[in-house]
Amino acid sequence: MRADARDNRARIMAAANEVFGRSPSASTDDVARLAGVGIATVFRHFPTKVELLEAVLTLRLERIREDALAAADSTDPGTAFYRFFTAVVADSASKLAIAEALTTAGAAIGEDARKAGRGMREAIEGLLLAAQRAGAVRADAQMAEVYALLVGASRGATATNLQPEVRDRMLALIYDGLKPRS
């Protein structure tokens, strides 16, 4: 791919991430405008809106994976675990909007996003294990429960449009339950 085509693709992805993250019903015209390219350029890279949405969702999941991997390598994985959890919940509205846009478009999540989702969950599990080894998360907390808490908190915060201070109090309650008992 030529340098200008790579640059256009990166601008389209950044614009789509922002546009669809704000509104699931946004159009590819909105993406093109924000990216500063013509609609034909958008469709040259992503022949359908569904393909663009899939690419954006995949990128989001890969970024969460990278963040979880970096947090697991932290010198303080316990603090990193709770910061990561908070960041995922705080940013959940735009990720959920992108997933909703895919559903609204009548598309199932494709293989690239499913693969990215599996990698993300594996990285989160690695972070959980590192936080448990550091004594910051109770040893009996399994990935299935912790992931359900992460998803539930994310969906709940988004669905009820929680103010940051309420979200943080909710997370404090969750974190109290995850901390080891004396």
Side-chain angles (χ1 to χ4, degrees):
M1 191 180 288
R2 296 183 338 242
D4 61 331
R6 277 192 311 273
D7 182 52
N8 283 344
R9 184 179 178 87
R11 287 198 333 258
I12 292 165
M13 288 290 292
N17 185 43
E18 184 175 333
V19 167
F20 294 129
R22 280 194 316 253
S23 171
S25 61
S27 71
T28 50
D29 287 324
D30 298 328
V31 172
R33 263 191 302 284
L34 185 59
V37 299
I39 192 68
T41 301
V42 172
F43 285 123
R44 198 168 22 260
H45 289 276
F46 303 98
T48 68
K49 180 179 178 179
V50 168
E51 288 180 52
L52 178 55
L53 287 165
E54 173 90 15
V56 171
L57 180 60
T58 300
L59 180 64
R60 283 278 182 118
L61 297 172
E62 288 170 347
R63 285 183 182 157
I64 293 170
R65 175 186 170 274
E66 291 166 8
D67 291 347
L69 290 171
D73 285 339
S74 167
T75 58
D76 184 356
T79 299
F81 170 83
Y82 293 109
R83 283 189 183 143
F84 169 83
F85 199 114
T86 299
V88 169
V89 172
D91 188 44
S92 63
S94 59
K95 182 176 130 320
L96 291 172
I98 293 165
E100 181 185 327
L102 262 172
T103 303
T104 301
I109 293 177
E111 184 53 35
D112 288 345
R114 282 195 301 274
K115 181 180 175 187
R118 286 189 299 271
M120 177 196 69
R121 284 187 297 281
E122 288 170 6
I124 292 171
E125 185 170 23
L127 174 56
L128 171 62
L129 293 171
Q132 287 172 321
R133 283 191 299 273
V137 174
R138 51 195 288 175
D140 64 336
Q142 300 295 311
M143 176 59 181
E145 294 88 21
V146 172
Y147 192 69
L149 286 170
L150 181 60
V151 171
S154 295
R155 289 188 181 278
T158 298
T160 59
N161 197 24
L162 287 183
Q163 296 301 308
E165 61 276 359
V166 177
R167 180 199 64 223
D168 292 344
R169 288 194 309 269
M170 172 194 70
L171 290 173
L173 292 169
I174 292 170
Y175 299 163
D176 281 348
L178 287 172
K179 290 187 178 160
R181 301 290 177 239
S182 304

